[in-house]
Amino acid sequence: MTAFTFSAFHELSCYPGIVLGIIILGLAIVAYTLYDLFFHPLSGIPGPIGARTGLWSWKSTRAARKDMGWKLLELHNKYGTVVRIARNEASICDPVAINQIYRFKSPLEKTRFYESLQGLDGPTSISTVDNKRHAEMRRAESPAYATKLFADFEEKIDASCADLTEHLDQCIDAGKGTMDVGHVLQMFAIDAVGELALGKSFGLCATGKDTHNWLPMLAQFLEIACLVGTQPIIASIFRRVAQMLPEPSNVKILTGIVNSRIDSRLKEYKAQETTYHGHQDMLEKLMAAQNPDGSEYSLQQVRAAVGSVLGAGSDTTAIIMRAMIRFVVGDAEIYRKVQKEIDDAVNCGGIQFPLSYNDADKLPYFQACLKETLRLHPPVPWTLSRSIGAGGAYISGRFFAKGTEVSMSPFVLHRCGEAYGDDAAVFRPERWLEADPEQRKTMEHNNLAFGAGPRVCIGKTIGMLEVSKVMPFLFWKYEVGFTPRSATSPHTHKVGRAVDGCASMAEPYFVTSQWVALQSDFWCDISRRRVA
Ligand code: HEM
């Protein structure tokens, strides 16, 4: 060994240029590390040493291992309110910081992470970093999300809900009441966004299957986007390469359907030779959207905007529906209360199905369960990161210099005592009913599930509309039990994993925590209830 080392050194000494290069590289790494640790604007903030030196990407590791929520919570429990999670990024867990980071006045720009959420048709409101460009897009596209269209949205969601329950009934009648409910709810969510964004369902629930494997494909897109997004330079190369590669066949089928629905709407308009097209739906509003110079949205812009509804509106809604079943059915007393509230409201004629969005407000305990679900299982647990602009900014009592990045994770904030009290980690719907109006307002404000400020989810009300209309019907019509996990059960995972990372045989599904906190393997035993 010694002889080998000596001879290696001897050989290297014949190449002084290489030796000098190695020494310079070593010194550069040491200098870079010392700068990051002691002189970088974030040097005073605690965090894992690898992340602070920038020699190890803590966030890429989280994206690869899909364990962001609970690992970030561990860091905050260890280091406190402000934690350095990358050489240039601090994560903050403080409700006071919401209005400072996600402010309306001189808003902070999104970080380049978001560029990776861009689809193949170009920039969308979620992926656009530049605030001015984002504001223009948001203004152009907001009529497609307006409350004026709610009558149309309700009809479309009712149609998708009818397909969903027909599918569930067929399964039960065929003796297949034990099913992966998570998968079925994802099919519903895709169908519903198809109805909303394109005026027609994709028909997954109606046919009972995801024929073209779109569900795993969409999940994979988000996972890869999140992973490469943690390395913006790699992400931009990746995007360029991806654009050159041929589309996989199932993506081709999906884009083909999107394009043909837009084309047929265009043909319909041409045939009518009128600017008023008669449809009061999202697609019409997106096709009528205008750029700041007054030009109409190009077909590519319409496709990108439709794509962002499909991408941002399906996973998130399905996640909330699964989580709500998990929390409600998982606690016998809460489940009984939810069912009783709905049964009583139906029996006394207070509500009827299909449930209107307004009538969903007549179910306060159900609504409290929904808020509690959004709190403990926010569909997006990832850090919603922003860049500090010129002049720097004071956040959570600290000064952050221009160019540094700050972020908050909905998952972490929602478990913070300052935001929700000492029992923040407990699913307790009563907290929303016991709170006085002022406390409720504060709790609502501290809920980051949809983001906050000028970049807040534009589809928030549509998402709430879907869940509020469909879930009471499912709780009323069906009895749900978790299929016990055993060596012979249909589960893929031997042990389940909760949204907080805890592994247990009793956990009915398996959660991965990345950009979204996705559940899989959610096997339930479904039967019809007596009242149906
Ligand atoms: C429970 C359901 C939903 C949740 C929890 C949710 C959550 C979020 C979050 C966290 C963001 C990003 C905020 C940020 O990065 O700061 C977002 C943005 C967005 N969401 Fe949602 N979302 C939901 C449903 C929907 C639906 C149904 C649609 C479409 C119909 C939608 C469309 C969008 C769009 C277009 C954006 C980008 C908005 C912008 O940057 O202007 N979302 N959503």
Side-chain angles (χ1 to χ4, degrees):
M1 185 67 183
T2 319
F4 170 77
T5 315
F6 177 77
S7 87
F9 269 120
H10 177 74
E11 288 208 357
L12 266 182
S13 66
C14 302
Y15 301 98
I18 294 180
V19 174
L20 190 65
I22 292 172
I23 291 172
I24 290 174
L25 183 68
L27 286 175
I29 291 174
V30 171
Y32 176 85
T33 309
L34 289 176
Y35 169 79
D36 278 348
L37 281 177
F38 301 108
F39 303 103
H40 188 280
L42 298 185
S43 59
I45 297 176
I49 182 103
R52 283 161 58 213
T53 54
L55 295 178
W56 163 53
S57 174
W58 185 86
K59 284 184 85 173
S60 304
T61 310
R62 302 289 65 89
R65 295 202 181 149
K66 303 178 198 168
D67 56 6
M68 173 54 123
W70 52 93
K71 288 291 177 187
L72 185 58
L73 185 63
E74 262 173 44
L75 289 192
H76 278 284
N77 288 339
K78 183 170 174 189
Y79 296 110
T81 307
V82 185
V83 180
R84 189 171 175 193
I85 57 170
R87 91 175 270 274
N88 200 32
E89 179 177 346
S91 164
I92 295 169
C93 177
D94 177 5
V96 172
I98 297 177
N99 287 350
Q100 297 167 331
I101 299 180
Y102 307 104
R103 63 194 190 200
F104 282 95
K105 205 170 163 208
S106 319
L108 302 185
E109 226 156 54
K110 278 186 168 180
T111 61
R112 290 195 58 202
F113 165 82
Y114 284 93
E115 287 173 353
S116 70
L117 297 178
Q118 177 180 317
L120 293 176
D121 287 309
T124 58
S125 54
I126 200 161
S127 71
T128 299
V129 168
D130 180 71
N131 275 335
K132 185 168 171 280
R133 184 67 200 111
H134 169 263
E136 289 165 2
M137 272 182 174
R138 184 120 177 172
R139 212 169 302 125
E141 292 169 25
S142 59
Y145 296 82
T147 41
K148 267 195 224 156
L149 298 183
F150 270 33
D152 174 74
F153 293 163
E154 291 217 29
E155 259 176 41
K156 292 187 153 96
I157 292 165
D158 290 341
S160 297
C161 182
D163 286 346
L164 165 69
T165 49
E166 202 176 317
H167 173 63
L168 291 175
D169 287 342
Q170 279 169 3
C171 289
I172 294 167
D173 292 341
K176 293 179 180 162
T178 296
M179 63 183 93
D180 184 344
V181 167
H183 182 74
V184 176
L185 291 175
Q186 186 85 42
M187 294 203 295
F188 158 78
I190 291 274
D191 281 349
V193 288
E195 278 276 7
L196 290 168
L198 293 161
K200 200 165 166 207
S201 158
F202 288 110
L204 271 61
C205 282
T207 54
K209 52 181 187 279
D210 174 22
T211 314
H212 305 294
N213 280 325
W214 287 334
L215 305 190
M217 179 263 290
L218 289 170
Q220 230 172 29
F221 166 77
L222 278 185
E223 281 178 8
I224 295 173
C226 178
L227 178 62
V228 297
T230 60
Q231 301 293 337
I233 296 173
I234 296 179
S236 58
I237 298 169
F238 183 85
R239 251 194 323 279
R240 258 170 233 160
V241 173
Q243 272 160 356
M244 287 188 287
L245 294 173
E247 277 183 343
S249 59
N250 59 348
V251 178
K252 239 187 212 157
I253 296 172
L254 182 60
T255 48
I257 292 177
V258 171
N259 293 345
S260 81
R261 299 234 168 117
I262 299 174
D263 282 351
S264 63
R265 187 64 74 87
L266 270 177
K267 278 187 197 136
E268 196 185 314
Y269 293 167
K270 274 194 190 139
Q272 286 173 358
E273 286 179 357
T274 162
T275 46
Y276 174 67
H277 309 310
H279 293 279
Q280 279 298 316
D281 65 7
M282 274 189 121
L283 184 54
E284 170 155 321
K285 302 292 173 200
L286 290 175
M287 291 176 84
Q290 290 187 346
N291 292 302
D293 63 4
S295 62
E296 283 203 348
Y297 257 32
S298 66
L299 272 186
Q300 193 173 351
Q301 283 176 299
V302 175
R303 274 188 220 126
V306 166
S308 78
V309 179
L310 303 186
S314 59
D315 266 341
T316 44
T317 312
I319 288 172
I320 277 300
M321 293 171 85
R322 291 186 199 113
M324 192 169 194
I325 294 177
R326 150 73 181 81
F327 284 124
V328 170
V329 176
D331 184 312
E333 197 182 329
I334 294 176
Y335 191 21
R336 193 189 52 76
K337 274 194 194 171
V338 168
Q339 283 183 326
K340 184 170 180 325
E341 180 181 69
I342 300 168
D343 289 352
D344 288 351
V346 172
N347 294 342
C348 76
I351 63 166
Q352 56 189 21
F353 297 114
L355 185 63
S356 71
Y357 189 39
N358 285 340
D359 277 358
D361 269 349
K362 294 180 183 162
L363 303 171
Y365 192 71
F366 167 84
Q367 292 295 344
C369 288
L370 175 53
K371 286 187 176 140
E372 203 60 349
T373 304
L374 276 163
R375 189 178 73 77
L376 280 188
H377 196 132
V380 178
W382 197 256
T383 50
L384 307 175
S385 50
R386 301 290 187 268
S387 279
I388 302 286
Y394 277 95
I395 292 165
S396 229
R398 272 176 190 272
F399 181 75
F400 288 89
K402 177 180 178 222
T404 50
E405 295 179 358
V406 286
S407 59
M408 293 180 91
S409 148
F411 177 88
V412 172
L413 182 75
H414 296 175
R415 280 165 169 74
C416 149
E418 285 78 32
Y420 290 100
D422 292 343
D423 63 351
V426 182
F427 186 86
R428 203 174 66 78
E430 287 72 17
R431 79 178 71 238
W432 296 93
L433 304 171
E434 293 161 1
D436 63 40
E438 201 51 39
Q439 286 168 326
R440 203 170 313 130
K441 210 169 135 199
T442 309
M443 291 203 296
E444 305 267 12
H445 171 265
N446 292 346
N447 193 311
L448 261 195
F450 294 96
R455 298 298 186 105
V456 72
C457 172
I458 193 171
K460 174 177 175 175
T461 325
I462 302 178
M464 293 303 271
L465 177 77
E466 269 184 66
V467 182
S468 300
K469 280 175 70 68
V470 176
M471 289 309 294
F473 188 49
L474 297 184
F475 283 133
W476 177 76
K477 185 162 182 190
Y478 301 101
E479 193 66 53
V480 182
F482 302 146
T483 310
R485 199 179 290 272
S486 74
T488 53
S489 69
H491 297 92
T492 318
H493 295 271
K494 292 263 169 290
V495 181
R497 189 162 73 185
V499 68
D500 57 5
C502 288
S504 143
M505 285 296 283
E507 188 55 47
Y509 51 38
F510 189 88
V511 179
T512 51
S513 183
Q514 222 217 16
W515 169 249
V516 288
L518 197 66
Q519 315 95 327
S520 60
D521 211 19
F522 190 20
W523 288 86
C524 293
D525 304 324
I526 313 279
S527 56
R528 284 196 198 87
R529 291 183 71 214
R530 265 178 303 119
V531 287

